[in-house]
Amino acid sequence: MTQHVRNGWYLGAWSDEIGRTLRQRWITDIPVCFYRLPDGTATAVEDRCPHRRYPLSLGHLDGDGTLQCDYHGYRFDAAGVCVGVAEQADRPKAALRRFPLVERDGALWIWPGDPDLADESLLPDTSWLTDPGWTHVHGVVPLKARHLLLVENLLDLTHETFLHPTSIGNAAVAATPIDVTVHGDRVDFSRRMTGIEAPPFYEKSCGLTSPVDRWQDGEFHPPGIFVLHIRIAPTGTEEPEGFHMRVLYGLTPARGNETHDFYALGRDYLIDDEELTEFQHKQQLAVMQEDVDALEAQEVMYATDPGGTVESSIRSDLAALRGRRALAKMLAREQRAGHGTVSA
Amino acid sequence: MTQHVRNGWYLGAWSDEIGRTLRQRWITDIPVCFYRLPDGTATAVEDRCPHRRYPLSLGHLDGDGTLQCDYHGYRFDAAGVCVGVAEQADRPKAALRRFPLVERDGALWIWPGDPDLADESLLPDTSWLTDPGWTHVHGVVPLKARHLLLVENLLDLTHETFLHPTSIGNAAVAATPIDVTVHGDRVDFSRRMTGIEAPPFYEKSCGLTSPVDRWQDGEFHPPGIFVLHIRIAPTGTEEPEGFHMRVLYGLTPARGNETHDFYALGRDYLIDDEELTEFQHKQQLAVMQEDVDALEAQEVMYATDPGGTVESSIRSDLAALRGRRALAKMLAREQRAGHGTVSA
Amino acid sequence: MTQHVRNGWYLGAWSDEIGRTLRQRWITDIPVCFYRLPDGTATAVEDRCPHRRYPLSLGHLDGDGTLQCDYHGYRFDAAGVCVGVAEQADRPKAALRRFPLVERDGALWIWPGDPDLADESLLPDTSWLTDPGWTHVHGVVPLKARHLLLVENLLDLTHETFLHPTSIGNAAVAATPIDVTVHGDRVDFSRRMTGIEAPPFYEKSCGLTSPVDRWQDGEFHPPGIFVLHIRIAPTGTEEPEGFHMRVLYGLTPARGNETHDFYALGRDYLIDDEELTEFQHKQQLAVMQEDVDALEAQEVMYATDPGGTVESSIRSDLAALRGRRALAKMLAREQRAGHGTVSA
Ligand code: FES
Ligand code: FES
Ligand code: FES
């Protein structure tokens, strides 16, 4: 079983997924119960009752925000502290394990590891999700493949040429090298294609005719956040002219070798064109399905070959290799901390 | 994988489930083949042919009680001794592993462990199953959860308040403490509710109006037998007046973390009222389904958290904790015996 | 998990299953990608791209025989050597793992182990598959049981009496002893039934009436090839008169405890009678399905009893025991070689 980095922010849910009902979602092999308090504050607790581990998400939420386990009636206040059990006089010493949770720009970020290390400044800028000059669609796709394969998929976009040739990929992607920069754990890459043919998706999305310039600037914030900055424009157009798009991916380990593949796709043009929005959303989901199919087939090959064969790597793997190394370092750091003192 | 106590009586089948055909049922991770000899004697043998482990339950039973393996024709007499193989002259030295089996009051009790320890006096009184003053319904429900969770479910009936609020549970159950007594391995508890509101099931079953007195007296005969004595009557009624019901549960580990949940529900009033019988049976199955759903959700939380979190326990857990301890002791005793000499 | 002998020829595919498309099949726990080069040469490579293990069988095959991985575009020539990656200048040092593959008489034989040990002379004579005096049908049936159980099934045909009583089995089979001869790893057996009743299948297939003589001569070429020579004729008929049939079984471990059960059933009489061919094919598949059902039930009994019970064996087990021993020896030899020097 893959081990997951837990000291890091993961996209736990979109804000509009969580309301005044209880919702279970597995995150880094932990069952999490999400809900909102009466004042709207989103909350995430381990979905195991401290009494006999019954899922709290099968219990119910009172009007005042008290959460009740519906197996034997333990009740927890907004802070997760047990305030009693039904009519019995006992008031057990018990508290829920609550996870640091940040709600920002329509997303709920969860920190499944050591709460003392949770640092909001590690979250990337997502203001474009609420910027009135932008519009976006979002959702989440289930993936039966380990987190690392999704990370590597996004850090090596040459695969667009082969896996997505009818939408976002064409020969230019694989043919154009990337620049990679590493800042601490973070890994950035940049691919600048000039005077190329417009891939079908962008042709239809932007009404462009070839040749075009196309930029792909990726930021991987390990363990689980990836932002892709896309710019496409008729060849030679100067910034800030041109069409800008952005994709936020939340790569969140679920349970075993399954992963939540959260996405938000935004643009800064024709933001009121709902037909275009719908078209882009449909395309985004089609592209993600191609990735899901590929990664699930790849997962079988990893799961059945745990020892691993010697890998061949090339220049275009650089960002993915750096990302893999960043994750390995974080995991090692976390495991060391687990055996000693955790310090921020 | 959970380990099961095997030196103990388990409900293996209801008498009416076993006839002159072969029937496989897994018990404590052992495949068992049940059948009856021509004189009606019920028999239980390991469902693996001593030749090449083919399931005997796929073979056939001759009119004289000879059991034939239908892979290569080994034949076994009523005592389980191999009496030959088809027309070949060889008569292999081979015998079936037969399990101690007691048929009593319509139930077949099996002892999957050391036959020398099988002691009929350990069986609880089940004469009410055949008492002409009583009537009952019975059956078995499959449960995908470990045996211990079902044991604890029955030893802590405060869950009726939360899990079965539309039938047998109401606030009084969780609010009323129990008395617990331990006799050797056996664990008894008693809850006496006085002047309470009648839960819907008893209201309809007995035509009672509140207030009522309700008694719940449980006996756990580990590893796998639970008997619940129920009495309900208008408040202040003296024994032996009032409505009496009894539930026998056979908690039989099946395969892996699956359990057979045998039940028999009896009453001593209106015993010829078939409509009432049907109503009670339907309610019993509905209540058991609520338990099954809860325990299967709980099982996931145990299976994915093998290390276990620190548990919070309260007064009402006492019987369940004693039951858990009794099972642990029996298992330890059995494992010690497995490495040394088994003595009764 | 069962370990498989890999230094041996296995039936990998029938020639007509493999064309100019890519086809995945698991063999001894290895995913294999089969295809043909433009000149028709059949090829088998490990179905994991040396880059990031994506299944090559999801890629595509160019007109010139170049195989392209459709995740990031690695390209491999007919010899399996990487000849480049899309338009990038890099030419990775990478090669596919190719398996020795022999195409003969309509069958593709694969050697999943050490290629230096692959020796074509170990293949049995299969010329009857293409002999103009013979006709045959062939195919493959999936089996969810370990390879050894299928080997033992074929080496002890007394099971025909019990498992196939409506087609190829009758009392005479189990009643007639076999002669067994061992030549190195190979195990042969011979059963000669004289003046017996014709089993239903042969009655209909050959228009015979009882009494008949029936011969069953089997050859097991471990690890995975079994040939059965069948002769049936009116009692007293002298060779070479009579009806001859032959069955080739390719017993090929697939993935985990699953096995490919390849078969070819041939005869030397009425070879143009297509109705008869169809009847025989249907019967063959019905018989194999009876075996599949039995072996899958038996597999459960082995999988859940890994320690194993003491087995009872009889005279008719001799060939199967010799076959089992041959496989154990081959495996031991292979495992020793894996820790030292492999020599042919
Ligand atoms: S498991 Fe939650 S109250 Fe018992
Ligand atoms: S397995 Fe029962 S006779 Fe062979
Ligand atoms: S996995 Fe085949 S080219 Fe990358």
Side-chain angles (χ1 to χ4, degrees), chain B residues 64-144:
Chain B
D64 67 353
T66 304
L67 178 61
Q68 176 176 293
C69 176
D70 272 353
Y71 195 3
H72 313 94
Y74 269 50
R75 294 169 63 79
F76 304 91
D77 67 14
V81 176
C82 184
V83 291
V85 183
E87 289 78 3
Q88 295 210 20
D90 328 47
R91 175 178 169 151
K93 273 207 169 53
L96 301 180
R97 176 180 173 196
R98 293 177 83 214
F99 299 99
L101 194 69
V102 172
E103 183 155 23
R104 187 184 288 179
D105 298 321
L108 288 161
W109 300 97
I110 187 170
W111 183 280
D114 182 350
D116 290 341
L117 303 181
D119 174 0
E120 287 193 35
S121 75
L122 294 170
L123 283 169
D125 171 39
T126 52
S127 58
W128 55 277
L129 290 172
T130 46
D131 185 325
W134 284 68
T135 188
H136 79 274
V137 294
H138 64 260
V140 57
V141 167
L143 171 69
K144 289 189 193 306

Side-chain angles (χ1 to χ4, degrees), chain A residues 44-56:
Chain A
V45 297
E46 182 169 344
D47 198 18
R48 286 187 180 100
C49 177
H51 179 232
R52 290 294 180 269
R53 304 190 215 179
Y54 190 66
L56 295 160

Side-chain angles (χ1 to χ4, degrees), chain A residues 51 74-75 81-85 89-95, chain B residues 312-314:
Chain A
H51 179 232
Y74 269 51
R75 295 171 62 78
V81 175
C82 183
V83 291
V85 183
D90 329 47
R91 176 180 170 148
K93 273 208 167 54
Chain B
S312 158
S313 289
I314 50 175

Side-chain angles (χ1 to χ4, degrees), chain A residues 279-299:
Chain A
F279 166 76
Q280 288 193 340
H281 201 170
K282 223 176 114 188
Q283 283 282 308
Q284 172 70 12
L285 288 171
V287 164
M288 288 179 79
Q289 192 55 49
E290 287 169 339
D291 282 319
V292 163
D293 292 344
L295 297 182
E296 294 186 351
Q298 195 192 13
E299 170 63 34

Side-chain angles (χ1 to χ4, degrees), chain A residues 149 152-153 156 158-163 171 173-177 191 291 293-295 297-298 300-302 304-317 320-321 324, chain C residues 24 26 29-32 46-58 60 68-75 82 84-95 97 255:
Chain A
L149 299 185
E152 295 186 351
N153 171 274
D156 178 4
T158 63
H159 80 266
E160 291 184 353
T161 305
F162 307 98
L163 216 52
V173 183
T176 310
R191 174 179 283 110
D291 282 319
D293 292 344
L295 297 182
Q298 195 192 13
V300 173
M301 294 303 157
Y302 275 76
T304 53
D305 183 24
T309 41
V310 177
E311 277 180 349
S312 157
S313 290
I314 50 173
R315 208 173 41 196
S316 52
D317 288 309
L321 288 171
R324 194 195 279 189
Chain C
Q24 186 191 64
W26 289 78
D29 282 321
I30 302 168
V32 175
E46 180 169 343
D47 198 19
R48 286 187 180 99
C49 176
H51 179 232
R52 290 295 179 270
R53 304 189 216 178
Y54 189 67
L56 293 160
S57 57
L58 295 180
H60 67 262
Q68 177 176 295
C69 175
D70 273 352
Y71 195 3
H72 312 95
Y74 269 52
R75 296 170 63 79
C82 184
V85 183
E87 289 80 2
Q88 295 209 21
D90 328 48
R91 175 175 169 154
K93 272 207 168 53
R97 176 179 173 196
R255 196 175 149 184

Side-chain angles (χ1 to χ4, degrees), chain B residues 49 51-54 69 71-74:
Chain B
C49 177
H51 178 231
R52 292 293 181 270
R53 304 189 215 179
Y54 189 66
C69 176
Y71 195 3
H72 313 94
Y74 269 50

Side-chain angles (χ1 to χ4, degrees), chain C residues 19-20 35-43 61 63-66 77-79 98:
Chain C
R20 304 244 33 237
Y35 61 100
R36 286 188 192 278
L37 296 176
D39 69 358
T41 312
T43 303
L61 194 57
D64 68 352
T66 304
D77 68 14
R98 293 177 82 211

